[in-house]
Amino acid sequence: LVGRIVLFLFATPFAAFGLFAVWQAIKKIQAGDIKGGMFLSLFGMVFSAVGFGLMFAAVTAERRRRAAEEKWLAQTDGGKKIWLARPDWAAGKIKSSAGSQWKMFLFMGAMFGAIGGAASFFALKEELPKGNYAVLFVLLFPTVAIGFIIAAVRVLLARRRFGDCFFELAQVPAPLGGSLDGLIQTGARLNLEEALHLKLSCIRRTVSGSGKNRNVQESILWQDEKVFRHDASLPMTAAGGTGIPVHFNLPASQPESVVRGNPTVSWRLDVKAKMAGPDFSAIFEVPVFRVAGAVPTAEDEPDPTAPLQMSAEEIRRDEHSRIQVTDGPNGREFYFPAARNLGMAFGLTFFLAIWSGVLWLMMVKHAPVLF
């Protein structure tokens, strides 16, 4: 209730200023100032829309919350079958979220290009004739914009190359104590050039604070990974794509999926393979819940994907990595030593040094506050 009252009071000045601007615009139009009146009326209508929109949201928030709660209970059989609230989970066919990343990359590129690019243009036009070549550092903003746009193009090319990817589950939901089984289906034929990595992770996501102090933290509670050989015999789907069989045992000691509240818990399946050109990547959030009457997986039950997997020795040889992989009585262990990727560490350190140097130089040269 307090939040809705605060939102309503916050919106009041916007609505009031918008109405005042529209009234003044009408007076200008009546006085013959058509151009000024039209501009002021447009300005006032925008403020009015924002103000009255927020006020309407505050007034109807409780009604919408109750309607959403009733819908949730109806979809999930009174909260007993939470996976039914998501249509893709209920259908047992989940689309990869990796292909949608291009929208975020394109948005970030547009923001850096529109704001930083325009500001850089005016700064260069003003400062370069004065011989202030340090202002060239402002080109960092359009450079970052180009980087985001390139990333968006790469995601789109990968989506065009491999098509839409879906994960069809053998059982909905996947039961804790049992196993996650199913088939990943690509939209086009997948010809592996290097090893195919499948990784299942249980992730807790916690949100703390609000506004500028909002902090999101993700922690991995459990993780398992399998590596398929590049020459693994993967089946072809009816649509002409490639089928990637999935089998992971799910420990009964881990938490089930939590999609509401704070913190939340998600089970995420990542599939990646390096390719010439765009790499293959697919991400699926899968429903994992405690299911009454589910038969636990026996410890000695064979893994149907075992013939497709690489041995620990093959992984060490083919991946050229310092990651140590050992096969033990309780499964496969991956050990990640420190400083195993010196190239990435050097690149990030170099980027930090350049960025910090640019910031220091702009402060010394009294660059515009926008930068």
Side-chain angles (χ1 to χ4, degrees):
L1 178 61
V2 174
R4 298 199 302 273
I5 293 175
V6 170
L7 180 61
F8 189 90
L9 294 176
F10 174 78
T12 302
F14 286 88
F17 183 78
L19 290 176
F20 177 77
V22 171
W23 173 248
Q24 292 298 316
I26 294 174
K27 293 174 65 175
K28 282 181 173 291
I29 293 174
Q30 290 177 342
D33 187 1
I34 305 297
K35 184 177 179 180
M38 293 298 293
F39 176 79
L40 189 58
S41 66
L42 179 62
F43 189 76
M45 284 188 290
V46 170
F47 267 77
S48 297
V50 172
F52 286 111
L54 291 175
M55 293 168 70
F56 178 79
V59 171
T60 60
E62 179 61 22
R63 184 174 63 194
R64 288 184 286 107
R65 186 196 67 79
R66 287 198 301 266
E69 186 66 22
E70 292 174 359
K71 181 180 179 181
W72 168 270
L73 293 174
Q75 287 179 326
T76 61
D77 190 17
K80 300 175 185 177
K81 300 178 180 179
I82 297 175
W83 57 91
L84 296 179
R86 280 185 49 167
D88 56 343
W89 283 5
K93 193 171 184 179
I94 306 168
K95 185 178 180 180
S96 170
S97 59
S100 61
Q101 294 175 339
W102 69 271
K103 299 177 183 178
M104 180 189 67
F105 291 146
L106 191 61
F107 174 77
M108 294 297 296
M111 291 295 293
F112 271 91
I115 299 175
S120 301
F121 172 77
F122 290 111
L124 292 173
K125 185 178 180 180
E126 181 179 345
E127 296 296 329
L128 280 181
K130 301 177 183 178
N132 184 12
Y133 296 104
V135 77
L136 291 172
F137 280 110
V138 301
L139 294 175
L140 179 66
F141 290 95
T143 302
V144 172
I146 294 173
F148 276 117
I149 293 174
I150 291 175
V153 171
R154 286 182 61 87
V155 173
L156 286 172
L157 289 176
R159 185 174 180 179
R160 181 179 179 182
R161 179 180 183 181
F162 306 112
D164 290 329
C165 298
F166 293 89
F167 178 38
E168 190 164 356
L169 288 87
Q171 180 180 357
V172 180
L176 281 170
S179 62
L180 172 69
D181 294 279
L183 186 71
I184 297 173
Q185 304 174 26
T186 63
R189 189 64 182 166
L190 178 63
N191 298 312
L192 293 177
E193 300 169 9
E194 294 191 27
L196 179 70
H197 293 254
L198 294 85
K199 181 168 60 180
L200 180 64
S201 308
C202 178
I203 302 171
R204 176 183 286 126
R205 187 175 188 268
T206 306
V207 180
S208 59
S210 60
K212 294 181 178 180
N213 297 321
R214 187 172 184 268
N215 180 49
V216 179
Q217 182 178 4
E218 289 190 350
S219 56
I220 298 176
L221 306 179
W222 177 89
Q223 193 171 78
D224 191 12
E225 184 174 10
K226 297 181 179 181
V227 183
F228 289 2
R229 303 189 313 274
H230 75 279
D231 59 349
S233 180
L234 300 177
M236 180 179 291
T237 64
T242 297
I244 304 172
V246 174
H247 174 82
F248 284 96
N249 291 330
L250 302 173
S253 58
Q254 295 301 323
E256 64 180 1
S257 300
V258 179
V259 297
R260 305 176 79 188
N262 185 36
T264 58
V265 176
S266 62
W267 287 79
R268 190 167 66 202
L269 175 62
D270 294 86
V271 187
K272 296 181 180 179
K274 293 183 179 180
M275 311 281 286
D279 295 335
F280 173 73
S281 176
I283 303 173
F284 308 94
E285 186 176 347
V286 296
V288 177
F289 290 89
R290 300 191 185 280
V291 180
V295 180
T297 302
E299 293 185 2
D300 57 348
E301 183 175 333
D303 182 353
T305 64
L308 306 175
Q309 297 180 40
M310 299 173 64
S311 66
E313 186 60 35
E314 287 177 311
I315 295 174
R316 279 193 292 267
R317 183 181 67 249
D318 293 354
E319 295 296 314
H320 305 291
S321 171
R322 295 182 59 203
I323 300 174
Q324 301 173 18
V325 185
T326 55
D327 287 321
N330 297 322
R332 179 167 293 168
E333 180 182 89
F334 292 79
Y335 173 69
F336 299 86
R340 62 185 178 273
N341 196 335
L342 294 178
M344 177 67 75
F346 175 79
L348 289 174
T349 305
F350 179 75
F351 179 80
L352 173 64
I354 294 296
W355 190 282
S356 302
V358 170
L359 181 60
W360 171 82
L361 185 62
M362 287 192 293
M363 294 172 62
V364 172
K365 296 295 184 179
H366 304 289
V369 178
L370 176 63
F371 295 107

